[in-house]
Amino acid sequence: MEVKDLTIEKVSNGLKMGEFSVEELQKATTAYAKSLNDLNAFISYFEPNNSLNRGNLFGVPIAIKDNILINGTVATAGSKILKNYISPYDATVIGKLKEAGAWFMGKTNLDEFAMGSSTENSAFGPTRHPLDRERVPGGSSGGSAVAVASGSAVCALGSDTGGSIRQPASFCGVVGLKPTYGRVSRHGLMAMASSFDQIGPITKNVKDSAILLSAISGKDRFDSTTADKEPEDFTKYLTGDIKGLKIGIPREFFGEGLDPLVADVIRKAIEKIQGLGAEVEEITLPHTEYAVPTYYVLVPSEVSANLARYDGIRFGYSEKEDSLLEVYNNSRADGFGHEVIRRIMLGTYTLSAGYFDAYYVKAMKVRNLIKRDYDQVFKKFDAVLGPTTPTTAFKLGEKSEDPLSMYLADIYTISANLAGLPAISIPCGNVDGLPVGLQITGKMFDEGDILNIAYAYEQNSK
Amino acid sequence: MPFSGKEEIEHISGLARIKLTSEEKSHYANELSSIIDFIGRLQEVDTSGVEPLYQVTGKENVMREDENPKILENLERDIILKQFPERKGDFNKVKEILIRKD
């Protein structure tokens, strides 16, 4: 057994054929992950478990982003304020994976409360890129992407609010899927921006992405924003036949800021997809340039409300002070890191008296225009293709002093969250040895088509 | 809309319940000022007649029967109690919230 090459299928077959036991697999996986400790992908490791359910993910080692709750275990969200926090229940996705027999191998590093694009904002130190230790893996699900890219985990769960699954998947050369908003329950995912957050899979190939999405999706009575959709088997869409599918290429995704070498790789990938019989045409998404500013009004606003719960009163880091107000003020000041404080402050400002209409309501109107751009395109097209990120993985420290340049790392991924659409990033080549990701965005609840386009590309690029 | 800097930061950090040092105040005043310039670009967009989009599901007022939803049925009570920063028996002890002035 070569741990780093394992996929869900290989694990299932290996166990079935008796090539290795669950115990051997768990030991080997943990040993391999620990041998790569310098990557700092994991915040914690779990013990072997020999009482797994015999479901369709029986024995599969899965890494879980540390903002998703697993009953009775520590969940830090990459924050000092939750350093010793123990989850008192399972997230819905965790319950589903337990049912399916998966083994949680460990919790992965992230930008504090999922705020960031480099995994440098963790209270537990930065995660490093598996191909170049001086570079970032992307973020915020950097630990999950590195766990999969380095071969430590067979697959992983991340969360995506503005690109936090797709951007690190792109940087690390793995497959990252953000499902349609409402496809996967958010119950037990620490809330960052509730109208944007989605949990999704990070995997080595497209088929595993479809398998994992099938396992975690579905309506949940604990998350009233989940859609009334029956669970389905997404692998049934993976035919590899994309003849006649209509694909739009937004000209705004190839403008200023895009590394020309990345653009070349993306254009070649699009030509390949065209060669497989898809009809490709240039389109326009005219409000694209306003996606990032819209996001940085709405998300900090939701953040400032969602993170009010970390107040040093019921759980988490708490400073002993003489008055209630001082407990709040000092526990939050010392418990939160820089980026989190910045966003809470920004959101408090945009929601405060006198600014609410000018910023928050205005941004929600622009959000509507961005969604309408996509609605218009999807009347005629089945999917939208482009780069996942404007550059390949950047250097540690390169953007950490300049919040705006960091925010622009998500320029192509944010729109899908604003409009609630499913989007996947798949590896499609390299620039100077660093992976480039192709992003495929689909209609709401049309994960089937984007997974199939991704699959067709993957099968024909080997 | 101009961002007036340190005084405004003081007001916001008070609302957000985050105590900042004087140095941090000037630091965040600078950073927020450039971010607020950036998000100010939204004012260019013509949004007349456009409704705000609060969320994308199209769902409104999701209802359920008026019964115990049993959200907490599997909740580990002990785990929750143990995490109180200050505990008295099964109670969470907090600083006084009303102060008598006489």
Side-chain angles (χ1 to χ4, degrees):
Chain A
M1 157 186 45
E2 191 72 61
V3 170
K4 66 180 180 12
D5 297 332
L6 289 174
T7 60
I8 293 176
E9 216 164 25
K10 282 183 185 165
V11 168
S12 300
N13 289 338
L15 289 171
K16 219 174 284 169
M17 307 301 282
E19 283 169 36
F20 45 82
S21 68
V22 170
E23 198 186 355
E24 285 164 350
L25 174 64
Q26 293 179 351
K27 269 193 183 154
T29 306
T30 305
Y32 185 73
K34 285 185 175 170
S35 76
L36 297 172
N37 240 341
D38 64 319
L39 293 171
N40 201 27
F42 287 89
I43 289 178
S44 53
Y45 294 102
F46 291 133
E47 295 297 313
N49 180 344
N50 58 11
S51 57
L52 301 170
N53 274 348
R54 291 200 167 256
N56 72 326
L57 293 176
F58 175 63
V60 175
I62 299 186
I64 305 293
K65 189 176 183 180
D66 207 19
N67 59 351
I68 298 173
L69 305 189
I70 303 179
N71 194 0
T73 70
V74 175
T76 69
S79 181
K80 179 180 169 189
I81 213 164
L82 293 180
K83 195 175 164 198
N84 300 310
Y85 177 69
I86 313 270
S87 314
Y89 64 97
D90 277 333
T92 296
V93 292
I94 293 299
K96 283 170 180 278
L97 291 177
K98 279 184 178 173
E99 193 88 354
W103 174 58
F104 306 119
M105 63 173 296
K107 300 295 286 293
T108 57
N109 201 11
L110 66 157
D111 287 299
E112 184 177 6
F113 287 106
M115 295 178 211
S117 310
S118 67
T119 317
E120 291 170 292
N121 295 337
S122 169
F124 306 98
T127 296
R128 288 165 188 275
H129 196 288
L131 297 173
D132 180 350
R133 283 359 184 214
E134 295 310 308
R135 288 180 189 272
V136 304
S140 65
S141 312
S144 286
V146 171
V148 175
S150 66
S152 303
V154 170
C155 51
L157 289 187
S159 66
D160 191 314
T161 304
S164 282
I165 288 174
R166 292 159 286 154
Q167 186 255 13
S170 172
F171 278 10
C172 293
V174 291
V175 175
L177 170 67
K178 183 202 88 76
T180 309
Y181 184 82
R183 175 69 86 179
V184 177
S185 168
R186 294 177 292 111
H187 177 64
L189 167 69
M190 290 184 201
M192 174 186 163
S194 307
S195 79
F196 298 82
D197 302 339
Q198 271 292 288
I199 296 171
I202 297 178
T203 56
K204 292 175 189 168
N205 63 35
V206 176
K207 190 169 185 192
D208 281 0
S209 186
I211 294 172
L212 215 45
L213 178 65
S214 311
I216 61 173
S217 58
K219 187 168 174 55
D220 181 17
R221 65 190 178 124
F222 296 151
D223 175 0
S224 57
T225 62
T226 47
D228 305 302
K229 299 272 177 198
E230 291 299 314
E232 58 178 320
D233 176 7
F234 289 96
T235 60
K236 73 175 185 220
Y237 296 102
L238 307 181
T239 61
D241 178 11
I242 56 168
K243 279 190 196 75
L245 275 184
K246 292 191 174 59
I247 288 172
I249 313 294
R251 78 168 69 102
E252 292 80 5
F253 282 28
F254 289 84
E256 199 192 334
L258 176 63
D259 179 336
L261 297 173
V262 170
D264 286 346
V265 173
I266 295 296
R267 283 202 186 89
K268 274 185 197 129
I270 291 170
E271 275 166 29
K272 179 158 258 169
I273 284 169
Q274 196 166 16
L276 295 171
E279 292 170 26
V280 176
E281 218 177 285
E282 191 182 79
I283 57 159
T284 175
L285 294 165
H287 293 92
T288 297
E289 63 171 308
Y290 298 107
V292 179
T294 301
Y295 182 88
Y296 279 98
V297 173
L298 297 180
V299 168
S301 297
E302 294 192 25
V303 160
S304 71
N306 272 329
L307 272 69
R309 73 192 66 181
Y310 306 107
D311 58 5
I313 299 297
R314 289 161 302 146
F315 54 82
Y317 182 80
S318 181
E319 290 217 347
K320 299 242 178 295
E321 299 290 345
D322 290 336
S323 75
L324 190 66
L325 183 62
E326 289 299 295
V327 174
Y328 295 148
N329 278 339
N330 291 322
S331 302
R332 287 164 66 78
D334 291 344
F336 288 137
H338 194 66
E339 177 66 21
V340 171
I341 290 179
R342 183 157 53 218
R343 292 206 200 180
I344 292 174
M345 299 274 289
L346 183 59
T348 305
Y349 175 77
T350 51
L351 291 180
S352 64
Y355 300 110
F356 181 83
D357 286 325
Y359 289 111
Y360 187 63
V361 176
K362 179 79 181 180
M364 284 193 294
K365 289 178 179 174
V366 182
R367 183 181 190 179
N368 204 355
L369 291 173
I370 290 168
K371 182 169 188 298
R372 283 185 195 174
D373 284 353
Y374 277 96
D375 289 345
Q376 209 52 38
V377 164
F378 283 131
K379 278 182 190 163
K380 203 179 154 202
F381 293 87
D382 300 297
V384 168
L385 257 64
T388 307
T389 58
T391 66
T392 55
F394 47 87
K395 290 223 159 84
L396 280 156
E398 190 180 317
K399 296 180 194 282
S400 48
E401 293 306 311
D402 180 3
L404 280 175
S405 74
M406 185 73 88
Y407 295 170
L408 290 168
D410 292 330
I411 190 164
Y412 305 130
T413 48
I414 275 174
S415 299
N417 302 79
L418 287 166
L421 305 169
I424 191 169
S425 177
I426 56 168
C428 69
N430 295 285
V431 169
D432 296 331
L434 292 169
V436 174
L438 174 72
Q439 178 172 243
I440 309 167
T441 306
K443 296 173 193 164
M444 281 194 98
F445 300 107
D446 193 15
E447 282 87 349
D449 265 338
I450 62 169
L451 281 163
N452 190 33
I453 296 166
Y455 184 73
Y457 178 82
E458 181 189 70
Q459 295 306 305
N460 287 282
S461 61
K462 278 176 183 165
Chain B
M1 264 148 285
F3 182 73
S4 57
K6 219 166 158 180
E7 266 166 48
E8 199 130 27
I9 285 286
E10 202 137 325
H11 174 62
I12 300 166
S13 71
L15 291 174
R17 301 285 186 267
I18 297 174
K19 189 184 227 167
L20 298 178
T21 63
S22 165
E23 219 168 89
E24 286 168 331
K25 278 175 200 160
S26 9
H27 180 78
Y28 284 111
N30 282 334
E31 280 187 349
L32 256 60
S33 161
S34 64
I35 299 172
I36 287 163
D37 277 349
F38 176 70
I39 61 180
R41 293 185 49 209
L42 293 180
Q43 309 307 327
E44 299 165 10
V45 187
D46 180 5
T47 53
S48 44
V50 180
E51 287 294 310
L53 183 69
Y54 290 83
Q55 43 96 355
V56 295
T57 65
K59 291 187 171 204
E60 275 177 46
N61 300 332
V62 178
M63 309 292 258
R64 61 167 174 80
E65 288 303 309
D66 186 16
E67 59 182 9
N68 178 0
K70 295 188 180 165
I71 283 189
L72 307 183
E73 63 190 354
N74 298 316
L75 213 55
E76 302 277 353
R77 189 169 180 273
D78 281 352
I79 294 180
I80 294 172
L81 296 180
K82 271 186 201 151
Q83 303 196 63
F84 291 163
E86 249 190 292
R87 181 176 170 182
K88 202 168 187 180
D90 281 354
F91 292 97
N92 184 4
K93 194 177 167 205
V94 297
K95 293 287 164 197
E96 54 192 335
I97 55 164
L98 294 170
I99 295 166
R100 188 189 295 271
K101 282 183 181 165
D102 52 11

